[in-house]
Amino acid sequence: MVFVHRLFPTPVMVAEEIWALASEGRLLSDLVRTLVRAMAAFALAMVLGTALGIVLGRQAFLDRLFSSWLVVGLNLPAIVVAIVLYIWLGLTETALIAGVMINKVPLVIVTIREGVRSFSAEYEELGLALRLGFRRRLATIYWPQLLPFVLAAARTGLSLIWKIVLVFEVLGSDGGVGYRVSLMFQFFDVTGILAYTAAFIIVVLAFEYGVLRPLEGRARAWRRPA
Amino acid sequence: MAAPSLNIAVTEKRFGVGAPLFADFNLSIEPGTVVALLGPSGIGKSSLLRMVAGIDRAFSGSIAIDAVAAAQAPAPGFVFQDARLLPWLTALENVRLANRDLDQAGAENLLSQVGLAGRGGDFPHQLSGGMQRRVSLARALAANPGLLVLDEPFVSLDAALAAEMRTLLAETIDARRPTVLLVTHNVEDGVRLADRIILLAGRPAQIAADVALDTPRSERNEAVLDAYRARLMA
């Protein structure tokens, strides 16, 4: 019975473990460290990927030149990137964040590039007919067309980043959810692992419903209800 | 904004190889005149309109609006074949897009002039097709009430809606006296709205007929319209 409880804890046991870990302060500090890493990598990947996606979407020559590299980037195993960066840069925050970012950037580039390619020629013509300056065209014509793609890139990217950050923390880190889970793995502490996992999922859901969905709702307010 | 004159002197305009669309094409339009350009599809009517609006600058020759090159002149009020409203902006915001100096009250006033009082907060998908066309006309008036450039504004509308839009446009023209360049393939649009009809034919496009319609729009009864139709069909 003891064996069964250790490997298959009940939800109540997991909840109690979450409470205990949170009371100690360790859970929160690990969650914060992981979140900071994920958010830093996410922000860098979104900014860099959006800029590069716009360039490749507008410049066919550059797109042809780099499209093969993009395919390589999309299919590069995350673990290889992590190991190589840890060797080159050491077990540092920079290596971890750069590794996560490198894994995410190609996905953002591809999504944004498709968004730019789908820009309406009719709206472009309207902008010219109304003599709209670049900043007004950006705000009223380009950005609203690009926003659904940015949100799609954010959503798919975040789901990817949540996972990769934890793997990278397992590989080489001195704190964070992934690091703590790897320690618990060594002691077969399934209750602790599930407690950390559940806490992490609660944070992800809070971000989904607290940030992403309201943003999407505002961005899609003008659409015809389905 | 006062109605400007329009001087078109296109030396050559072509798309790819083959005969040019326009070669040594000249047309002068007096301020406050409504000119309808009639001709078959593909002859270059819409292309000429885009050149006048400064959208298409790849041609040799000159197009001057009150002696200013079209590309440098204030934007005309352009009505496209479709309503072409930005779906993420409300009707009011679509109108204000054309003129950043136009305040909310001014935009609401324009919308009420086209029969859309109180609908400024609606998004395009909340408006009927006819209402969207009206917003498009209000936006053109916001951009430049002195020069309207209309590219088949009644195409794809059913007969009743086209007649309604034609009446609205006639009222707007009579109230504001703008210079209007109207592209249409429909003789009916020309005889009901224009002061002058230019028939285009051939490639490169040439002026096949230049018909002045002297009877004021408001006094054109069926007999007058029949006479104009007969002149154009001849």
Side-chain angles (χ1 to χ4, degrees):
Chain A
M1 196 63 188
V2 171
F3 174 79
V4 170
H5 274 185
R6 273 198 68 208
L7 293 189
F8 302 100
T10 63
V12 173
M13 290 166 70
V14 173
E16 284 170 353
E17 182 71 4
I18 291 175
W19 181 255
L21 290 167
S23 303
E24 286 173 24
R26 206 170 56 187
L27 175 65
L28 290 179
S29 71
D30 283 331
L31 275 175
V32 167
R33 289 188 78 168
T34 298
L35 283 177
V36 168
R37 287 164 178 161
M39 286 302 137
F42 172 74
L44 287 170
M46 286 302 293
V47 169
L48 192 63
T50 301
L52 291 174
I54 290 170
V55 170
L56 296 190
R58 299 293 277 191
Q59 303 293 332
F61 166 71
L62 290 175
D63 186 36
R64 281 196 301 274
L65 196 65
F66 290 108
S67 61
S68 301
W69 286 104
L70 207 51
V71 174
V72 171
L74 281 169
N75 294 286
L76 203 60
I79 202 82
V80 173
V81 175
I83 290 169
V84 169
L85 283 175
Y86 277 145
I87 292 171
W88 285 345
L89 303 176
L91 297 176
T92 59
E93 291 290 309
T94 308
L96 196 156
I97 291 170
V100 176
M101 185 196 74
I102 287 169
N103 274 287
K104 161 72 183 148
V105 159
L107 198 64
V108 180
I109 293 175
V110 169
T111 310
I112 299 298
R113 182 186 63 182
E114 295 312 311
V116 171
R117 280 178 178 168
S118 72
F119 278 0
S120 157
E122 280 83 17
Y123 295 152
E124 179 80 29
E125 189 180 55
L126 175 68
L128 288 172
L130 296 176
R131 307 273 203 278
L132 300 181
F134 178 73
R135 287 179 65 177
R136 285 195 85 203
R137 269 185 288 157
L138 188 67
T140 57
I141 293 180
Y142 300 142
W143 177 245
Q145 293 182 82
L146 196 58
L147 190 54
F149 293 89
V150 173
L151 287 171
R155 162 151 298 125
T156 55
L158 264 178
S159 63
L160 183 73
I161 280 178
W162 296 134
K163 295 168 194 165
I164 295 178
V165 164
L166 262 63
V167 173
F168 281 31
E169 284 179 344
V170 169
L171 266 183
S173 168
D174 59 352
V177 175
Y179 166 78
R180 202 64 65 190
V181 166
S182 74
L183 287 185
M184 290 169 171
F185 165 62
Q186 292 171 36
F187 294 99
F188 276 34
D189 182 1
V190 177
T191 310
I193 291 171
L194 291 182
Y196 262 86
T197 307
F200 190 66
I201 286 171
I202 289 167
V203 171
V204 171
L205 287 177
F207 192 81
E208 169 76 18
Y209 287 97
V211 179
L212 273 185
R213 295 223 176 176
L215 271 180
E216 271 187 341
R218 283 181 62 184
R220 295 173 196 271
W222 55 271
R223 288 179 190 271
R224 187 193 303 271
Chain B
M1 206 175 284
S5 64
L6 199 57
N7 281 292
I8 299 170
V10 177
T11 311
E12 187 179 274
K13 168 65 187 176
R14 65 165 70 234
F15 290 108
V17 292
L21 204 56
F22 294 102
D24 297 321
F25 182 87
N26 297 289
L27 176 64
S28 290
I29 298 172
E30 294 296 312
T33 312
V34 180
V35 174
L37 286 174
L38 255 76
S41 293
I43 201 160
K45 305 184 299 289
S46 294
S47 297
L48 187 62
L49 229 54
R50 276 155 181 72
M51 290 150 69
V52 169
I55 298 171
D56 185 350
R57 303 174 186 187
F59 65 93
S60 58
S62 67
I63 294 178
I65 299 169
D66 263 353
V68 178
Q72 275 77 51
F78 203 120
V79 176
F80 294 90
Q81 289 183 13
D82 53 311
R84 206 165 298 187
L85 304 178
L86 295 179
W88 43 83
L89 300 184
T90 63
L92 204 70
E93 289 165 340
N94 267 289
V95 173
R96 292 185 71 187
L97 180 70
N99 184 348
R100 63 191 318 169
D101 296 329
L102 188 69
D103 60 16
Q104 182 150 333
E108 279 171 354
N109 183 36
L110 281 174
L111 283 174
S112 73
Q113 283 178 38
V114 296
L116 289 177
R119 302 300 299 265
D122 289 354
F123 286 104
H125 78 78
Q126 294 170 308
L127 301 170
S128 68
M131 287 173 171
Q132 291 183 24
R133 300 295 183 115
R134 287 164 179 267
V135 176
S136 164
L137 179 59
R139 181 179 63 194
L141 293 170
N144 188 342
L147 175 61
L148 295 179
V149 176
L150 315 173
D151 187 6
E152 303 265 18
F154 316 120
V155 78
S156 78
L157 295 180
D158 61 49
L161 201 51
E164 183 189 313
M165 280 299 291
R166 214 182 278 126
T167 304
L168 175 65
L169 193 58
E171 288 169 1
T172 305
I173 291 168
D174 289 337
R176 293 172 174 265
R177 299 276 165 205
T179 303
V180 178
L181 193 53
L182 164 68
V183 156
T184 180
H185 65 276
N186 187 350
V187 172
E188 201 59 26
D189 297 339
V191 297
R192 287 184 182 273
L193 291 171
D195 302 314
R196 183 181 167 198
I197 293 179
I198 307 288
L199 273 174
L200 296 178
R203 178 127 188 181
Q206 298 294 322
I207 296 176
D210 187 343
V211 180
L213 312 183
D214 298 324
T215 308
R217 262 177 300 281
S218 57
E219 295 170 22
R220 289 177 197 171
N221 54 28
E222 277 306 311
V224 174
L225 293 173
D226 280 342
Y228 284 154
R229 288 181 197 118
R231 278 175 68 187
L232 288 165
M233 297 300 182

